[in-house]
Amino acid sequence: MILDTQLRFSGAIANDAAATITGQAITATAISTNVLDLRAPGSTPAIVDEALGEWNLTLIVKTTTAANGADAAKTLTITLESDVDAGLSTSVTNHGSSGAITGATLVANYVAWRYRMPPGNYERYLGLRYTVSAGFTAFGIEAFLTPNVDRNIQYPNNYSIDA
């Protein structure tokens, strides 16, 4: 899978030999650590069809660490939003939502949301909002856009593919 640091919403790659990924800690409702600026400062108009869906980009949101067992009944909802300001707080446009994900589901390395970017009118800044039903004990989230998604297909034992 190709990962571009400029297309990363949450999580960081440590500068170590193992290239460890550190997720954004989620304890309360928050926006992603990184909000993408889709156009140059001062450019007009404020809303443009960025044709993100035509770039064949997929949003991947996955956990880097598990949620605490005490948080099993709490929920996390992830929304993809754009806005005219980087804080995603002025005139937010919602481009998609994961729906409620229970804390019990949030185990380590769980792909919480895989979403094909739709074409549409995107405002200048694009980011994610993590909405929790109640305060979580911290767990980590990694989120990014990628043009190609790994598909690890698990075949049953003794399965063969004809050449």
Side-chain angles (χ1 to χ4, degrees), residues 71-161:
D71 296 330
K74 298 173 184 175
T75 62
L76 167 69
T77 303
I78 307 160
T79 52
L80 176 68
E81 302 176 351
S82 67
D83 199 350
V84 295
D85 76 88
L88 302 178
S89 60
T90 304
S91 61
V92 175
T93 302
N94 186 328
H95 299 283
S97 174
S98 67
I101 304 163
T102 62
T105 307
L106 299 171
V107 297
N109 297 313
Y110 172 71
V111 177
W113 193 27
R114 180 178 290 145
Y115 184 64
R116 180 70 147 218
M117 295 295 291
N121 292 330
Y122 291 84
E123 297 179 71
R124 179 174 175 177
Y125 296 97
L126 183 67
L128 299 176
R129 184 174 312 274
Y130 304 110
T131 305
V132 298
S133 62
F136 269 84
T137 305
F139 66 94
I141 289 278
E142 175 188 19
F144 52 87
L145 293 172
T146 183
N148 58 349
V149 179
D150 284 344
R151 292 197 60 224
N152 184 14
I153 300 171
Q154 299 292 324
Y155 293 103
N157 289 342
N158 300 319
Y159 183 85
S160 64
I161 299 174

Side-chain angles (χ1 to χ4, degrees), residues 23-47:
Q24 177 180 344
I26 304 296
T27 57
T29 297
I31 63 169
S32 53
T33 303
N34 300 317
V35 174
L36 308 182
D37 188 347
L38 300 179
R39 63 186 63 86
S43 64
T44 56
I47 298 176

